[in-house]
Amino acid sequence: MRMTDGLCGAESVCCRRSQIIAPEPSTTSTTTTPATVSSSISSTKLEPVDSLVFDSDPILPALPETIPFQPISPNESVHDPNLLLELSNLLLSHSLVDTFEPIVSNALPIDQPATTNDSGQNVIFTPTPSTSNEKHCGRRQHSVGSRIFFQDEDSDSLSQVLAGTVGFSEFPWTVAIYQLIRNGSFVYHCGGAILNRSVVITAAHCVSNNRLHPNRFVVYAGDWDRRHTQERLPHQERTVSRVLVHPNYYSGALFNDLALLFFNEPFNDTLTNVEPVCLAGETGMAYPPPDNCFVTGWGGSPKANRVQSIQQYSKLRILEREQCETQLQSLPTLGSKFRLHQSFLCAAAIGTDVCQGSGGSPYACERDGRYYLMGIVSWGVGCGDGIPAVLTNVTDLSEWIRSQ
């Protein structure tokens, strides 16, 4: 089920807090030796933090003949929708057939952008006509619905989570960039997005220091859980052959924070977990800022400000430039003289944010059933403090991108 679907159908899971049974405390503990999972390129794969063990014939604990139903008061219930979503996605990734369908549109009527934003200002957003190389771009994938919503009463609206775990292959353009460190291993460094079979876009600050040594970067496409390689569709690893940083990139203030990564061996985009994102044009009709926009990657969140093992999403809304600049000027670290550079745009939402490890992650917005790359996570102040995230304005720099 799509994340923004408002009804619970045959392909969704809906729970009421009063229907959640509290687990009884266990007095016994079991120690399991973590399984070693092999990788096609062992030198570039992180060691599992929490190895998963899949028993073909598990020993089930003895259960009582009857289990009493003990409803929990709504005021006392504590649940974590993200944990349930992660478990649901994990089961789906191991049990379903390799069948995906692109989401035509996942915007509810309330998510459709209004005619103008809060300040009455429109922004430029031009979907570029599809070419033969881009006919499959920006397709958000979905399998059997794995979103879990909570509804206390029949009359209540469904609670939609603005951030959480991505479904397997849901945003197939999202990639993880690993960097070689001194001990000879590769570690997660930044996020990025697939533009076509041979090019990935990311933030310049992620790769500029090693632009002359591109083979120090390895890109993983189609990955979901970085701890293992047991997803039903394999991820693809490519060593970078060339790093191209925007010529006007200024590391001191991160102006034009954009870079392109090239590969000698193209990605295999016949698999549904590896597909490009659409690139918005630079000129054309003026559209209001789209509201159905997501940052996707393995960066942290206000709940866990650290790099994540499983791909995450955060739904953020584009802010009007003057509003963002005013908020940033109120920060002591920036001051009243701060000016937001033209190569930046801002996005924010109440209850979610982009945090540690989110650099280079794509920010894509839905328009007519396709997702267009609007920004790349560049920098921010704090995590979950209500301060807008600052993104590289991909639309403003799209002419340079296309010229490469």
Side-chain angles (χ1 to χ4, degrees), residues 23 29 35 47 49 54-55 60 66 71 92 104 143 182 184 196 238 242 248 253 269 291 306 310 397-398:
S29 61
E47 290 297 326
V49 178
F54 300 98
D55 295 325
L60 300 177
T66 60
L92 287 171
V104 176
S143 54
R182 291 186 176 182
N196 59 50
R238 297 291 185 272
R242 183 163 67 103
N248 295 326
D269 59 359
D291 185 55
R306 61 182 183 276
I310 298 179
L397 303 177
S398 62

Side-chain angles (χ1 to χ4, degrees), residues 97-102 141-143 168-169 232-233 272-273:
V97 296
D98 301 344
T99 301
F100 294 88
E101 296 177 1
Q141 308 289 341
H142 76 98
S143 54
F168 177 75
S169 186
R232 63 182 177 274
L233 293 177
T272 53
N273 63 332

Side-chain angles (χ1 to χ4, degrees), residues 57-338:
D57 189 16
I59 300 176
L60 300 177
L63 296 176
E65 295 182 359
T66 60
I67 300 178
F69 175 73
Q70 299 177 351
I72 301 175
S73 172
N75 296 329
E76 299 178 359
S77 64
V78 178
H79 62 270
D80 186 352
N82 293 336
L83 177 59
L84 294 177
L85 178 58
E86 178 178 332
L87 294 174
S88 177
N89 277 319
L90 185 60
L91 291 175
L92 287 171
S93 70
H94 289 281
S95 61
L96 295 180
V97 296
D98 301 344
T99 301
F100 294 88
E101 296 177 1
I103 293 180
V104 176
S105 174
N106 69 331
L108 290 172
I110 58 173
D111 285 330
Q112 297 292 353
T115 55
T116 57
N117 60 10
D118 296 337
S119 63
Q121 184 180 37
N122 288 347
V123 297
I124 299 298
F125 178 80
T126 310
T128 305
S130 299
T131 65
S132 58
N133 294 330
E134 298 178 335
K135 60 182 179 180
H136 296 309
C137 73
R139 300 193 306 174
R140 183 179 178 184
Q141 308 289 341
H142 76 98
S143 54
V144 175
S146 59
R147 288 281 184 261
I148 298 177
F149 299 94
F150 287 87
Q151 185 179 21
D152 288 332
E153 302 295 339
D154 292 337
S155 59
D156 291 346
S157 61
L158 291 176
S159 175
Q160 300 179 24
V161 183
L162 295 179
T165 303
V166 167
F168 177 75
S169 186
E170 187 173 357
F171 298 93
W173 52 85
T174 309
V175 302
I177 300 173
Y178 290 79
Q179 180 176 336
L180 180 68
I181 58 177
R182 291 186 176 182
N183 66 4
S185 61
F186 284 79
V187 297
Y188 175 83
H189 187 54
C190 279
I194 301 173
L195 290 182
N196 59 50
R197 297 178 61 202
S198 301
V199 181
V200 157
I201 187 171
T202 187
H205 76 260
C206 292
V207 296
S208 61
N209 290 342
N210 282 302
R211 70 179 78 185
L212 300 180
H213 305 280
N215 59 348
R216 294 180 182 177
F217 297 105
V218 173
V219 175
Y220 284 24
D223 205 1
W224 179 64
D225 189 337
R226 299 186 300 108
R227 296 171 295 184
H228 63 82
T229 59
Q230 302 302 312
E231 287 92 1
R232 63 182 177 274
L233 293 177
H235 74 268
Q236 301 176 40
E237 304 176 14
R238 297 291 185 272
T239 299
V240 177
S241 61
R242 183 163 67 103
V243 174
L244 183 61
V245 175
H246 193 281
N248 295 326
Y249 169 62
Y250 173 51
S251 60
L254 298 182
F255 299 158
N256 303 294
D257 189 12
L258 204 64
L260 302 178
L261 308 181
F262 296 83
F263 313 96
N264 289 330
E265 181 184 358
F267 289 118
N268 176 11
D269 59 359
T270 61
L271 301 177
T272 53
N273 63 332
V274 178
E275 288 190 2
V277 66
C278 298
L279 184 62
E282 184 182 20
T283 59
M285 296 178 61
Y287 284 87
D291 185 55
N292 208 41
C293 304
F294 299 87
V295 170
T296 53
W298 290 265
S301 66
K303 289 186 177 180
N305 187 15
R306 61 182 183 276
V307 176
Q308 300 296 296
S309 299
I310 298 179
Q311 190 179 149
Q312 306 290 309
Y313 73 90
S314 294
K315 186 175 182 180
L316 304 177
R317 188 175 187 277
I318 294 178
L319 293 184
E320 193 271 330
R321 176 172 294 273
E322 284 72 19
Q323 178 186 358
C324 176
E325 187 174 78
T326 300
Q327 288 186 249
L328 295 176
Q329 287 173 347
S330 66
L331 302 176
T333 54
L334 297 177
S336 59
K337 294 184 179 180
F338 172 80

